[in-house]
Amino acid sequence: MPAYSARMAPVHDVVIVGAGLLGLSAARALTAQGRDVVLLEQAAIGHDGAGSKGSCRIFRLGYPEPDYVSAAARTRGEWHELEAQAGRVILHPTPHLTFGPQLAEVHDAMRRAGAACELLSAAATAERFPGIRVDGPALLETESAVIAADQALAALAAASGPVQAGVRVTSVTDDGRRVTLGTTAGELTARVAVLTAGPWTAGLLGPALAVPLRPTLEQVAYLEPAAASQTASPGTPIFICYGDPSPYGLPVPGSDRYKIGVHHSGPVVNPDAQDESPDPGLVARLTEVASRYLPGYRPEPVATERCVYDNTPDEDFVVDRIGNVVLGCGTSGHGFKFGPLLGTWLATLACGGPELPPQRFRLGRLRTRP
Ligand SMILES: Cc1cc2nc3c(=O)[nH]c(=O)nc-3n(C[C@H](O)[C@H](O)[C@H](O)COP(=O)(O)OP(=O)(O)OC[C@H]3O[C@@H](n4cnc5c(N)ncnc54)[C@H](O)[C@@H]3O)c2cc1C
């Protein structure tokens, strides 16, 4: 139950700003603790300008650092719990191939974290996965999946309590005892505010909490199988050519389409002024990716989609608490797979709970020295 101040305005346990993947995941975890949670969203869940929009994302354990491998392995169990709770299929098990310049680092990190994987020669890769054209060896992981992102958001929303959609937070003030939020629907007060506003988070904070986020507008493309193709979906695995740049691809659940992208290839953007129209230079680049790696698909995209990345300088997330403000942002284009675990960490920071986030996600690491 909310407490009441002298003016009888309710003081909520927690107000969450932003109902994307992180805000919904935090709301679900806090609701499960029995907290009084208000969840505010400036638009609607999964809207066109949100980083969590769209049909699918990659779930993989393959990272060049064991911390991330272990965190992904843990989150897999949490996704399964959400599937059971919601009665929806969220993870579509799909083999994943990592290759390219950082293959050895990813292999080493997976071994150190005790994650199942198998190093395949180029010949074995070609024989087992004719849908992907790989020049050298590849690392096969089998605990990977395609995340049905829209199903994930729906499942989280169902477990999160009501969302107040169309309400934009315009200011956040922490007086040391509680947080006051100015919104387009009036003022709210809470013991703790959780800011999960993606690339908008930086604009909500004063200079004392400066978060150096650098949003970029990425572009993905959808391919269809070539006529009479023997190698296209449903057998095509997920892939990442891990390096700089990192082209990637994944089959779209329930469809014969295949989605491709190049990690961190889009221009810097103001998140309030995203232009959804396709960028011809990025379309040409994606057509090259299709020609190079996907022999079973027509290389010309049948559709494209723009989507915003919320980048930190080191691509690690920000999951931290400063005073009575909890921050969950900076997911840098790779946060979806960790959704429920990020929710658990944010809930713990807000109200206590089973597990604090790792130190590497603290804001202090990004503070510039005077
Ligand atoms: C093209 C693309 C491909 C990706 N592929 C993968 C992948 O394969 N695997 C993976 O793990 N991750 C992937 N990601 C990353 C993943 O999708 C994001 O990390 C994640 O969805 C970010 O969620 P979020 O909740 O932080 O942000 P968002 O979804 O952007 O949510 C923030 C919400 O806050 C709301 N908001 C903002 N300001 C306010 C305000 N002032 N008041 C009220 N509401 C506000 C916004 O409207 C928005 O809905 C990809 C991202 C993109 C764009």
Side-chain angles (χ1 to χ4, degrees):
M1 285 289 286
Y4 288 85
S5 73
R7 284 165 43 228
M8 299 301 285
V11 178
H12 302 281
D13 289 340
V14 185
V15 174
I16 300 176
V17 183
L21 173 80
L22 270 66
L24 289 169
S25 298
R28 170 177 175 249
L30 287 161
T31 302
Q33 288 186 10
R35 305 292 172 182
D36 154 45
V37 177
V38 177
L39 176 53
L40 305 174
E41 167 54 51
Q42 64 181 354
I45 293 173
H47 66 97
D48 273 354
S52 306
K53 76 171 179 193
S55 61
C56 55
R57 296 288 190 278
I58 297 171
F59 178 87
R60 64 183 153 91
L61 273 54
Y63 270 83
E65 288 148 282
D67 288 358
Y68 275 108
V69 179
S70 302
R74 246 203 72 191
T75 316
R76 193 166 179 270
E78 298 204 18
W79 281 119
H80 289 317
E81 279 170 29
L82 179 62
E83 286 180 317
Q85 182 183 12
R88 291 172 188 265
V89 177
I90 296 171
L91 295 189
H92 293 260
T94 310
H96 181 293
L97 293 177
T98 300
F99 47 89
Q102 284 187 268
L103 167 63
E105 281 171 72
V106 173
H107 190 197
D108 184 52
M110 289 190 75
R111 272 195 312 219
R112 282 162 58 201
C117 59
E118 183 184 355
L119 188 62
L120 303 178
S121 67
T125 307
E127 190 184 338
R128 284 173 66 175
F129 299 102
I132 302 283
R133 190 184 288 124
V134 186
D135 296 338
L139 188 66
L140 169 65
E141 55 174 286
T142 49
E143 295 188 337
S144 46
V146 175
I147 307 172
D150 45 3
Q151 295 297 314
L153 292 191
L156 289 166
S160 294
V163 177
Q164 294 188 30
V167 177
R168 182 162 174 138
V169 173
T170 50
S171 64
V172 178
T173 311
D174 179 4
D175 70 6
R177 281 191 319 131
R178 56 189 56 156
V179 186
T180 303
L181 298 101
T183 84
T184 49
E187 208 169 81
L188 281 170
T189 308
R191 293 192 180 87
V192 181
V194 177
L195 307 189
T196 48
W200 289 268
T201 307
L204 286 170
L205 301 165
L209 274 189
V211 186
L213 300 178
R214 184 174 166 275
T216 52
L217 190 58
E218 306 294 320
Q219 179 167 297
V220 297
Y222 293 88
L223 308 175
E224 283 188 345
S229 166
Q230 302 294 310
T231 56
S233 310
T236 313
I238 307 166
F239 83 88
I240 294 185
C241 176
Y242 223 118
D244 184 16
S246 296
Y248 65 85
L250 61 156
V252 178
S255 153
D256 63 355
R257 288 188 173 183
Y258 195 88
K259 173 179 165 180
I260 56 171
V262 178
H263 196 46
H264 292 297
S265 57
V268 173
V269 72
N270 170 351
D272 280 321
Q274 299 178 40
D275 178 359
E276 293 289 318
S277 51
D279 175 306
L282 293 175
V283 172
R285 205 163 162 196
L286 292 168
T287 305
E288 276 173 34
V289 168
S291 300
R292 173 156 183 199
Y293 296 108
L294 295 158
Y297 290 84
R298 279 189 277 127
E300 298 78 24
V302 292
T304 60
E305 192 173 77
R306 307 300 298 265
C307 185
V308 69
Y309 270 14
D310 171 25
N311 304 297
T312 61
D314 58 10
E315 297 182 32
D316 276 344
F317 314 144
V318 174
V319 190
D320 200 356
R321 176 170 177 153
I322 316 288
N324 296 311
V325 175
V326 173
L327 297 170
C329 59
T331 53
S332 303
H334 65 114
F336 210 107
K337 65 185 74 58
F338 301 106
L341 182 58
L342 287 163
T344 301
W345 287 339
L346 291 166
T348 300
L349 287 170
C351 293
E355 194 184 337
L356 285 164
Q359 297 279 326
R360 72 182 294 160
F361 298 141
R362 297 190 78 158
L363 177 62
R365 77 182 194 277
L366 299 174
R367 292 255 172 87
T368 46
R369 291 174 198 282

